[in-house]
Amino acid sequence: MSNSTVLEEKGTISVQMENIFPIVKKALYNDKEIFLRELVSNAVDAINKYRHLTVIGEAEKDEAELKIELDYDKEQKLLTIRDNGIGMTADEIKKYINEVAFSSAHEFMARFQKDDAAKAKGTQIIGHFGLGFYSAFMVAKQVEIHTLSYQQDAAPVIWTCDGSPAFEIKPGSRETRGTEIRLHLMDDELEFVEEPRLQHLIRKYCDFMPYPVYLKETKANRQEPLWNKNPKETSDEEYLEFYRYMFPFAQDPHLWVHLNVEVPFSFKGILYFPRLSHEMDPAKGQIKLFCNNVFVSDQTEDFLPRFLVTLQGGLDCPDIPLNVSRSMLQNDPYVQRVASFVTRKVADRLKEMYTKEREKFVSTWEDVHTFIKFGVMEDEKFYDKVKDILIFKSSKGDYVTIKDYLERNPKLDKKVYYTTGEPGQQSYIEMFKAQEIEVLYLTTLIDTHFIQYLEFRNQEVKFARVDSDLSESLIDDEKASIVDPKTNKTGDETVKELFEKELKIDKLTIQVQSLKSEDVPALIVLPEQSRRLYEMSRMMQMQGNDTGMFEDMLNEHTLVLNSKHPLIQSLRKSADLSSAKDQLHLICEHVYQLAMLAHRPLKPEQMEHFMRNANQVLQIVASKL
Ligand code: ADP
């Protein structure tokens, strides 16, 4: 049969299974909107093919704009997708629509029924198994193809099918090259003749397709994604504009990574570091995955490392194998290469910024640190790449690496003092500052885990919270306590015994030290390791575990009495005054309570006790006026 004559013909689509449509419909039910993606993608392919033919001189070029048009008619319940691509002859329809599609459909069904994971990925499998066109039957009760091939003397053809395996081919009336797909929608699918819905779908799936998509004569897609542009020629303003376009309600980001490679595999994208309004901002990350400019998914956690998923942006990976199940995807060598490539590029960009734009790096740190710390703990290679650019806010006001910190505080012998920022640590920080020792601020939830990780990777570095032990550099060891000939004890021993006798508090250790600072009479220290365990237990508690034994650990604390402080010195002298027994008890309790109060908030019953003591102390002072 020549292309210029179309004989009327009825037939049955070649398919081994009985009626395939109900199964297709059910399989893809949840995501039936993807029919539009499939049909517009076919239109793009058809235009691409035509353009290719004009380039190699096989087809004649004309002036008409290459485009895709969507049209709808609410009354007729009709949605039309039109292109001026290569078109089809009757023979091609028979070959590509009636046969090929269905044999691959069969393959799809065979796979679909035995693999649950494939079911989840049903929507993505469809295009790759040549089922694309037939997705139209998810929403249409009847589909017509009106087409005219680019070939000289070609005759227009109409193909009609009502969703049963029976089809009809007859001569058509189309006068210009291209294909028009007419969908007669089912009664409960009329959302697809609603303008806003169609606009949304075009924006979602077709935004970056390489030809204009018109919805009733208005261009509805953006066409060019910014990642196609050469990074060297792209300005900050363009990156920001593109970000605002993709994520309209978010704050402008400070930092992004533009990926644009052809070798060893083709791969493009832009990843933005979102501005976090607070730590663990869960709604933030969103990376949209495209395959040759067609939106495929934003469920990128299947193939990117978890920490990258907290970024925002788009990636176009033309070779991504969408027809495999989720679990296979992670083990796919191509996918692994892409993932590690992205990780490497992100690390490189951060390093480059640290070296070349230090000020900017520091000012964006608060936005990116959670992401970086998360990445460091999740991926060893990422850690190796960024380990020298991890910075911490110092009590001196600037940001330093651990290496800088240790160099600037050589007295500390590889110990890093930090604060988690609670008010109870302020008096300790002041003591460190007075001795010109820096303290680092580690104030976010992730930091507890992060320092644990850093200690694990750098065995010689230890982190200690300001209230976890007394740094040697805070203690003045010049003056030894003199032994009193009457009691045969040093003054320090006397005070220690006094407090031990008067306080009798479970799990409390009492120490007397001569601190360099004369401002505080006493302070509480909590061993670093038990406090960390306690913090971990609190997290477990939040997950509903019983953590009673950890509570005990926090009770293990030490009261350090400052023998330099006048109050403690007075107590040394008066410790054995039996006439002042009640008052000594009151003072010891109050010293302890004040130290506790500076350390962490009191429980209600402790507070009540504290108030009572405070009033009694004032009473004594007043009576001596
Ligand atoms: P796939 O696109 O995966 O090959 P489809 O079922 O979507 O599978 O389409 C089957 C074939 O029908 C295509 O490969 C193409 O040859 C032809 N076809 C579909 N839509 C068009 C169109 N708009 N213009 C020209 N040919 C088309």
Side-chain angles (χ1 to χ4, degrees):
M1 187 183 77
S2 105
N3 286 332
S4 52
T5 43
V6 176
L7 300 177
E8 235 172 280
E9 184 177 337
K10 290 191 182 170
T12 318
I13 294 162
S14 63
V15 54
Q16 286 88 333
M17 257 179 279
E18 261 313 292
N19 197 345
I20 192 174
F21 298 109
I23 311 173
V24 173
K25 272 181 220 160
K26 200 165 161 236
L28 303 166
Y29 184 76
N30 286 332
D31 238 339
K32 51 193 169 191
E33 62 182 39
I34 58 107
F35 82 89
L36 197 70
R37 173 186 82 186
E38 295 302 316
L39 296 184
V40 179
S41 298
N42 281 350
V44 168
D45 286 349
I47 297 178
N48 273 339
K49 285 177 191 160
Y50 167 73
R51 216 173 55 167
H52 180 72
L53 292 176
T54 62
V55 169
I56 60 170
E58 289 284 313
E60 234 171 278
K61 208 171 167 174
D62 58 25
E63 293 309 304
E65 181 190 31
L66 293 171
K67 63 182 173 188
I68 295 145
E69 293 168 296
L70 264 63
D71 214 334
Y72 58 89
D73 184 328
K74 285 191 185 187
E75 267 169 35
Q76 310 240 357
K77 303 176 187 171
L78 181 67
L79 175 66
T80 309
I81 294 121
R82 196 180 304 127
D83 67 67
N84 51 3
I86 192 170
M88 281 180 279
T89 63
D91 279 351
E92 282 166 341
I93 288 196
K94 287 181 212 161
K95 189 160 150 206
Y96 297 129
I97 301 288
N98 292 351
E99 283 167 31
V100 171
F102 264 123
S103 62
S104 34
H106 182 243
E107 194 182 329
F108 166 59
M109 297 321 296
R111 177 180 192 92
F112 179 74
Q113 278 164 340
K114 66 171 191 292
D115 185 348
D116 266 1
K119 193 183 301 187
K121 274 268 187 276
T123 52
Q124 298 177 2
I125 290 163
I126 194 163
H128 282 247
F129 279 77
L131 244 189
F133 169 74
Y134 280 94
S135 64
F137 288 99
M138 292 192 290
V139 297
K141 56 185 178 220
Q142 192 184 341
V143 178
E144 293 162 30
I145 304 176
H146 295 239
T147 182
L148 174 62
S149 165
Y150 78 99
Q151 294 173 38
Q152 280 200 342
D153 305 328
V157 196
I158 300 176
W159 175 95
T160 318
C161 178
D162 64 0
S164 72
F167 68 87
E168 190 183 336
I169 290 182
K170 60 185 182 201
S173 55
R174 199 182 155 85
E175 287 173 356
T176 51
R177 180 199 72 238
T179 302
E180 180 171 312
I181 312 285
R182 292 187 194 169
L183 308 181
H184 297 273
L185 297 175
M186 290 180 232
D187 285 342
D188 50 358
E189 305 298 348
L190 297 181
E191 64 188 270
F192 298 111
V193 285
E194 294 295 335
E195 173 112 9
R197 179 85 173 114
L198 289 168
Q199 255 165 0
H200 169 80
L201 292 177
I202 296 172
R203 170 86 190 260
K204 179 169 174 186
Y205 293 107
C206 314
D207 212 20
F208 300 139
M209 287 184 181
Y211 301 103
V213 177
Y214 290 89
L215 178 59
K216 279 215 187 274
E217 284 159 26
T218 307
K219 187 170 166 243
N221 66 334
R222 177 180 169 117
Q223 250 177 278
E224 198 62 22
L226 192 63
W227 51 74
N228 282 354
K229 208 170 160 177
N230 182 341
K232 291 201 181 78
E233 291 162 11
T234 314
S235 70
D236 284 1
E237 197 37 55
E238 282 175 292
Y239 285 115
L240 290 174
E241 190 271 331
F242 189 62
Y243 178 81
R244 291 175 203 138
Y245 178 77
M246 281 191 87
F247 304 97
F249 300 107
Q251 268 185 299
D252 280 356
H254 287 309
L255 180 65
W256 48 83
V257 184
H258 190 159
L259 307 148
N260 190 326
V261 270
E262 290 299 337
V263 203
F265 41 81
S266 167
F267 182 84
K268 286 185 184 126
I270 301 175
L271 297 180
Y272 294 91
F273 289 71
R275 294 276 292 275
L276 303 177
S277 52
H278 56 85
E279 198 194 357
M280 311 292 182
D281 208 343
K284 283 295 158 109
Q286 192 188 30
I287 297 177
K288 297 183 183 181
L289 181 64
F290 295 78
C291 182
N292 279 323
N293 303 313
V294 182
F295 171 77
V296 180
S297 165
D298 47 18
Q299 307 289 307
T300 26
E301 60 267 31
D302 288 348
F303 88 105
L304 284 180
R306 261 193 315 160
F307 74 99
L308 285 180
V309 178
T310 58
L311 301 182
Q312 285 177 308
L315 294 176
D316 195 312
C317 316
D319 303 319
I320 197 108
L322 298 169
N323 54 348
V324 297
S325 69
R326 280 167 183 239
S327 50
M328 280 165 69
L329 203 55
Q330 277 166 341
N331 297 323
D332 182 273
Y334 171 80
V335 171
Q336 281 177 348
R337 265 164 58 209
V338 169
S340 72
F341 179 80
V342 176
T343 309
R344 209 172 70 216
K345 279 286 169 187
V346 168
D348 286 347
R349 175 75 183 101
L350 290 166
K351 270 167 77 175
E352 177 189 76
M353 201 169 151
Y354 179 80
T355 327
K356 295 190 189 151
E357 306 161 83
R358 182 70 56 88
E359 238 171 78
K360 191 173 167 199
F361 183 82
V362 169
S363 68
T364 53
W365 181 253
E366 294 303 331
D367 280 319
V368 301
H369 78 104
T370 317
F371 159 84
I372 294 177
K373 289 170 181 171
F374 194 27
V376 156
M377 291 189 282
E378 199 180 67
D379 183 337
E380 212 171 295
K381 285 206 198 99
F382 188 68
Y383 168 74
D384 287 335
K385 280 245 159 203
V386 301
K387 61 175 189 277
D388 298 329
I389 64 165
L390 300 170
I391 55 173
F392 302 85
K393 191 176 170 200
S394 148
S395 53
K396 280 206 173 138
D398 56 351
Y399 282 78
V400 286
T401 61
I402 296 295
K403 193 164 158 266
D404 297 339
Y405 176 88
L406 294 173
E407 273 168 21
R408 288 191 341 194
N409 300 275
K411 283 187 278 183
L412 295 182
D413 192 29
K414 305 263 178 199
K415 201 158 209 179
V416 179
Y417 283 96
Y418 70 96
T419 168
T420 46
E422 281 99 19
Q425 287 157 40
Q426 197 52 41
S427 52
Y428 301 80
I429 298 174
E430 294 306 325
M431 278 193 336
F432 278 90
K433 272 192 184 162
Q435 299 308 317
E436 306 213 324
I437 300 170
E438 281 177 79
V439 171
L440 299 183
Y441 285 81
L442 290 165
T443 52
T444 45
L445 260 174
I446 197 170
D447 287 320
T448 320
H449 304 279
F450 183 57
I451 56 175
Q452 202 100 2
Y453 180 83
L454 290 182
E455 284 174 342
F456 164 70
R457 300 304 304 254
N458 310 275
Q459 296 291 335
E460 74 281 15
V461 179
K462 285 278 164 282
F463 285 82
R465 205 166 86 174
V466 281
D467 56 353
S468 66
D469 63 11
L470 277 182
S471 163
E472 291 300 315
S473 27
L474 298 181
I475 298 170
D476 193 355
D477 50 11
E478 279 166 33
K479 278 190 250 150
S481 214
I482 301 158
V483 178
D484 182 339
K486 266 197 283 176
T487 55
N488 209 19
K489 282 181 213 153
T490 65
D492 286 358
E493 281 164 351
T494 312
V495 183
K496 185 171 183 261
E497 278 174 20
L498 171 71
F499 273 82
E500 275 166 357
K501 190 168 85 206
E502 298 301 334
L503 291 180
K504 292 207 183 67
I505 289 169
D506 196 27
K507 313 241 175 192
L508 173 70
T509 311
I510 293 166
Q511 266 181 27
V512 185
Q513 298 279 4
S514 167
L515 301 185
K516 282 184 179 153
S517 156
E518 285 172 28
D519 297 340
V520 276
L523 48 88
I524 300 285
V525 294
L526 266 184
E528 177 78 12
Q529 289 312 323
S530 34
R531 201 204 67 248
R532 283 193 203 174
L533 272 173
Y534 172 75
E535 275 160 11
M536 268 159 27
S537 85
R538 273 208 324 218
M539 279 180 207
M540 283 159 62
Q541 214 169 18
M542 284 182 215
Q543 292 155 9
N545 300 307
D546 176 26
T547 54
M549 68 181 231
F550 290 108
E551 289 283 343
D552 273 2
M553 249 168 222
L554 192 65
N555 287 338
E556 270 171 33
H557 55 310
T558 303
L559 174 69
V560 180
L561 299 165
N562 182 6
S563 59
K564 268 238 188 110
H565 194 276
L567 172 60
I568 303 300
Q569 287 182 350
S570 310
L571 287 175
R572 275 178 175 178
K573 290 185 215 128
S574 324
D576 53 355
L577 280 183
S578 52
S579 57
K581 218 169 165 275
D582 290 350
Q583 289 183 6
L584 281 172
H585 178 74
L586 181 66
I587 294 170
C588 288
E589 273 199 336
H590 209 48
V591 165
Y592 170 70
Q593 285 171 330
L594 282 165
M596 279 303 272
L597 189 65
H599 179 68
R600 67 175 135 125
L602 297 183
K603 293 184 182 140
E605 67 276 11
Q606 292 172 325
M607 182 53 111
E608 202 267 330
H609 190 184
F610 166 77
M611 298 293 287
R612 201 163 0 105
N613 281 7
N615 285 325
Q616 278 179 24
V617 170
L618 288 176
Q619 216 177 313
I620 296 167
V621 176
S623 70
K624 304 219 160 122
L625 290 175

